[in-house]
Amino acid sequence: MVPQIVVLIGGIIIVALIALVIFFERKAANSNSSDDSGNYSSENIKSEIILNSIDDGVMLVDANNTIQLFNPGASRITGWKTEEATGIDYKAVINLIDQKGEPYTDQDSPFIKALTAKAAIRDSDAFYQTKSKTTISLDIGVTPLFDDEEEFQGYIAIFRDVSAKKREEQQRADFISTASHEMRTPVAAIEGYLSLALNSNVSTIDNKARGFLLRAHENTKHLGKLFQDLLTSSKAEDGRLENNPSVVEMGDLIVNLVNDFKVIAEAKNINLELLLGGERNALSEGKSINVVKPLYFAHVDPIRIKEAVYILFDNALKYTDTGKISVGLTGNETVIQVRVQDTGIGIEPENVNHLFQKFYRIDNSQTRTIGGTGLGLFICKKIVDMYGGRIWAESEKGVGSTFYINLPRLSSAQAEDIKSREANKGVVINNTTSQQSN
Ligand code: ADP
């Protein structure tokens, strides 16, 4: 009897132990997924759920360029199944192309750029050919990964199919472009007729009518400027802005431009100063410009750069009642810097970072009466971006503002090289033309 009781008690203990093990295992398993309230508590499970459910493509690449993680979002976008993409070189899967359908070079690649810059790089204008050869617009951000010893560990890339958004943007831009183009012509005609009505050599009107027509004329001019700016900005946005870069000596360009500004500044009784490489030239005092200056070569379309500097000058004049506008040109070995400084109304710090956004106008008692479209600085930035430059502003409310444009500077040798290549191109074109005409 005693041995039977011992066996029974032993059996009960073993069953109890198994039950306990099962109980704790279940508990451990539960704590890995979700508790009774449905909260996910394990970090791994949380990450997996996020990676599996988000729409964005997420891809982890190791230091050998091999894909280690490719989430379902990435599969949906690219057409590559997770198991096909994982374990192969990322370049076989993420083959980006540009607007013209040309494959990205290493210089264009956000991966190489991120590795070189050791910083996150975003490319919102990339195109991608899916596995089924459909071209989509891709917005891709790449972050390089480094360990504590600064050793490269790989990349994390997050991308999104933005084809629908880009199509909508294009339709909107097309509409604005067509509408402003179509409306510019009748507005120009109205402006012309109003000018004739206001011209006492052509028309006879009483003072009351003159007052009305003057206001109509001012507003029509504003409308014409708005349509012109809309057209320019929509062209700048989709790369249709005419751009014929050549080697330009920025010193000559700025001197000529400032001479043109002189008349406009004098009409408003504003002093205009030109500073070339640190030299001071008081143009408003009528002194001629005679400065031994360094040559600042840039590869830009002079028409576009003049347009950008003109916008800065026009703003400086618009937003300055008294004092001085100073236009400066300096640089170092690699950068040319154009500066337009005024002693005008200034800008509050919270507005400075938004100035280059489309339609951004500061609305306060000082600006409300000054006409504008909010497109000038947007256009300026688009032009400067086109040449790999940078534009920014510094300002103090009530003291004045300074706008800077930095452009890449060419050495004299580079300038000569580009000039001779462009001249040769001209010869080839001329030869071809003459052969064709023969
Ligand atoms: P706008 O046609 O309104 O002048 P911009 O894009 O050229 O459009 O400028 C955007 C806004 O930035 C202006 O509305 C104005 O409030 C502010 N701004 C630009 N330049 C200056 C300046 N030199 N001084 C003060 N405010 C300026």
Side-chain angles (χ1 to χ4, degrees):
M1 191 64 188
V2 174
Q4 282 170 335
I5 290 172
V6 171
V7 169
L8 188 69
I9 292 172
I12 291 170
I13 290 172
I14 289 169
V15 169
L17 277 174
I18 292 171
L20 265 174
V21 168
I22 292 172
F23 170 76
F24 280 113
E25 263 183 4
R26 288 233 170 116
K27 200 164 174 225
N30 278 345
S31 73
N32 269 344
S33 55
S34 66
D35 60 22
D36 291 342
S37 60
N39 290 328
Y40 299 100
S41 48
S42 153
E43 293 305 316
N44 285 347
I45 295 285
K46 276 193 231 172
S47 312
E48 208 176 310
I49 288 170
I50 293 170
L51 282 174
N52 288 343
S53 49
I54 57 171
D55 256 359
D56 287 1
V58 179
M59 180 179 80
L60 179 68
V61 177
D62 67 17
N64 299 318
N65 292 339
T66 306
I67 298 176
Q68 294 297 340
L69 185 149
F70 203 72
N71 77 334
S75 290
R76 268 193 303 277
I77 295 168
T78 61
W80 284 74
K81 290 190 185 130
T82 300
E83 56 277 19
E84 286 172 340
T86 313
I88 62 172
D89 194 308
Y90 81 86
K91 288 182 219 127
V93 177
I94 304 295
N95 47 342
L96 299 174
I97 48 179
D98 65 18
Q99 214 171 12
K100 294 181 199 138
E102 298 289 332
Y104 267 28
T105 61
D106 279 358
Q107 274 151 338
D108 305 322
S109 160
F111 291 87
I112 308 294
K113 278 189 192 166
L115 180 59
T116 316
K118 291 192 168 179
I121 295 288
R122 178 103 183 254
D123 184 342
S124 309
D125 299 314
F127 288 89
Y128 174 78
Q129 219 173 40
T130 64
K131 207 154 182 241
S132 60
K133 301 280 176 247
T134 311
T135 303
I136 59 169
S137 297
L138 207 70
D139 183 337
I140 180 166
V142 179
T143 308
L145 306 170
F146 295 94
D147 64 12
D148 292 345
E149 271 82 47
E150 299 273 304
E151 197 71 31
F152 173 62
Q153 296 297 315
Y155 306 100
I156 179 107
I158 302 182
F159 45 91
R160 173 177 290 193
D161 179 357
V162 288
S163 310
K165 188 173 148 233
K166 292 268 174 180
R167 258 195 310 274
E168 278 169 24
E169 275 174 9
Q170 190 54 49
Q171 280 166 355
R172 238 188 347 253
D174 286 349
F175 171 74
I176 290 176
S177 175
T178 314
S180 38
H181 186 78
E182 291 303 318
M183 288 191 249
R184 227 173 24 150
T185 319
V187 167
I190 297 170
E191 198 191 322
Y193 282 118
L194 286 171
S195 297
L196 285 176
L198 285 164
N199 185 340
S200 51
N201 292 330
V202 185
S203 315
T204 314
I205 48 170
D206 63 22
N207 279 346
K208 200 170 174 189
R210 176 170 296 278
F212 293 148
L213 288 184
L214 269 173
R215 288 177 68 177
H217 190 227
E218 276 310 304
N219 281 294
T220 316
K221 273 204 309 203
H222 176 71
L223 206 58
K225 170 97 171 70
L226 177 65
F227 289 143
Q228 182 56 55
D229 282 359
L230 275 173
L231 196 59
T232 312
S233 63
S234 76
K235 280 184 182 176
E237 271 179 299
D238 53 24
R240 283 182 301 122
L241 206 56
E242 206 174 308
N243 178 28
N244 300 308
S246 60
V247 173
V248 173
E249 205 287 291
M250 289 294 291
D252 281 348
L253 182 140
I254 293 291
V255 168
N256 289 333
L257 209 52
V258 169
N259 275 329
D260 295 343
F261 294 159
K262 193 180 148 193
V263 185
I264 316 171
E266 271 173 1
K268 208 183 162 183
N269 224 0
I270 301 270
N271 263 339
L272 180 61
E273 179 182 79
L274 172 65
L275 296 160
L276 276 180
E279 290 275 353
R280 191 172 293 262
N281 296 268
L283 284 183
S284 56
E285 288 162 22
K287 289 182 189 162
S288 63
I289 299 155
N290 185 15
V291 184
V292 181
K293 56 182 173 58
L295 297 173
Y296 293 110
F297 291 114
H299 194 225
V300 292
D301 184 332
I303 295 174
R304 294 278 89 91
I305 288 296
K306 276 184 188 172
E307 199 173 356
V309 181
Y310 184 83
I311 291 169
L312 298 187
F313 172 77
D314 191 43
N315 278 345
L317 202 65
K318 262 197 318 195
Y319 301 106
T320 305
D321 277 337
T322 51
K324 189 171 78 177
I325 295 173
S326 164
V327 180
L329 178 71
T330 53
N332 61 22
E333 272 178 24
T334 53
V335 174
I336 300 169
Q337 184 170 91
V338 181
R339 189 183 64 242
V340 179
Q341 185 169 23
D342 65 57
T343 54
I345 59 173
I347 303 159
E348 300 85 353
E350 65 270 24
N351 285 320
V352 172
N353 286 339
H354 302 289
L355 295 175
F356 302 94
Q357 289 166 7
K358 206 170 174 183
F359 296 120
Y360 195 84
R361 300 206 72 217
I362 301 165
D363 185 22
N364 59 35
S365 55
Q366 282 172 300
T367 56
R368 214 160 289 147
T369 50
I370 304 171
T373 61
L375 286 167
L377 292 177
F378 175 78
I379 293 171
C380 241
K381 178 159 166 41
K382 285 282 171 196
I383 294 174
V384 174
D385 284 351
M386 206 153 73
Y387 302 115
R390 193 162 90 81
I391 181 166
W392 75 102
E394 288 168 7
S395 187
E396 197 178 329
K397 186 79 195 144
V399 177
S401 311
T402 310
F403 285 80
Y404 297 91
I405 292 179
N406 276 10
L407 290 171
R409 181 178 181 180
L410 299 175
S411 66
S412 298
Q414 284 170 322
E416 281 311 313
D417 188 40
I418 297 177
K419 271 193 216 168
S420 66
R421 263 190 286 138
E422 278 167 2
N424 284 342
K425 230 194 290 173
V427 170
V428 172
I429 291 168
N430 283 342
N431 281 346
T432 325
T433 329
S434 60
Q435 274 166 16
Q436 277 168 355
S437 57
N438 283 342

